[in-house]
């Protein structure tokens, strides 16, 4: 399943089925039939999702005998994580401030008669 068209990585992770596939293959390399067994959609539909993941360079397909195995591309996933990191920090900071405010309000409410 060679990647002929490059797609944006966010197109690859936009679909919940593709995210589930990434989660599965992150644990261990899986052949395409084993991946398909985890879904209630057709084998061709799963293959199409895997094709998109490969086109986004999120997974690599390796031939081993007659089987094709899917593995995650850690380099691409790492680039996504790096891009997301500033947003994660921003939201962590905002939630931390909200926690502080809620704790202060809760303490204030308990101390009032």
């Amino acid at each position: 399943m060679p990647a002929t068209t490059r797609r944006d990585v966010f197109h690859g992770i936009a679909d919940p089925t593709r995210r589930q596939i990434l989660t599965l293959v992150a644990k261990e390399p899986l052949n395409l039939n084993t991946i398909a067994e985890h879904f209630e959609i057709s084998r061709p539909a799963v293959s199409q999702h895997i094709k998109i993941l490969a086109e986004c360079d999120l997974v690599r397909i390796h031939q081993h005998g007659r089987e094709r195995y899917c593995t995650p591309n850690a380099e691409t996933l790492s680039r996504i994580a790096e891009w997301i990191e500033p947003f994660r920090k921003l939201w962590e900071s905002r939630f931390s401030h909200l926690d502080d405010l809620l704790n202060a309000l809760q303490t204030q409410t308990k101390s009032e008669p």
Side-chain angles (χ1 to χ4, degrees):
M1 202 179 286
T4 57
T5 303
R6 276 291 168 228
R7 294 181 190 237
D8 184 84
V9 294
F10 293 102
H11 177 84
I13 61 174
D15 185 87
T17 300
R18 291 193 288 272
R19 290 193 303 268
Q20 286 180 308
I21 291 169
L22 283 171
T23 300
L24 287 170
V25 301
K27 296 174 186 169
E28 64 181 314
L30 295 173
N31 69 36
L32 303 185
N33 287 325
T34 302
I35 294 169
E37 290 171 2
H38 288 84
F39 299 94
E40 294 185 14
I41 58 177
S42 69
R43 166 73 166 71
V46 170
S47 290
Q48 183 62 32
H49 282 296
I50 293 170
K51 178 182 175 190
I52 291 169
L53 289 170
E55 289 172 353
C56 295
D57 205 26
L58 289 164
V59 297
R60 301 241 167 95
I61 309 299
H62 303 280
Q63 191 81 28
H64 186 71
R66 293 177 10 155
E67 296 288 336
R68 293 186 300 170
Y69 285 83
C70 191
T71 58
N73 182 351
E75 184 180 318
T76 302
L77 291 170
S78 177
R79 286 195 313 253
I80 293 170
E82 288 172 14
W83 185 84
I84 290 173
E85 184 62 17
F87 300 102
R88 186 190 63 77
K89 287 180 180 178
L90 172 72
W91 283 104
E92 269 187 10
S93 173
R94 289 181 179 181
F95 283 128
S96 179
H97 290 307
L98 180 59
D99 282 343
D100 293 344
L101 176 63
L102 292 174
N103 287 334
L105 289 172
Q106 190 175 33
T107 301
Q108 182 183 3
T109 303
K110 286 181 181 179
S111 64
E112 292 178 358

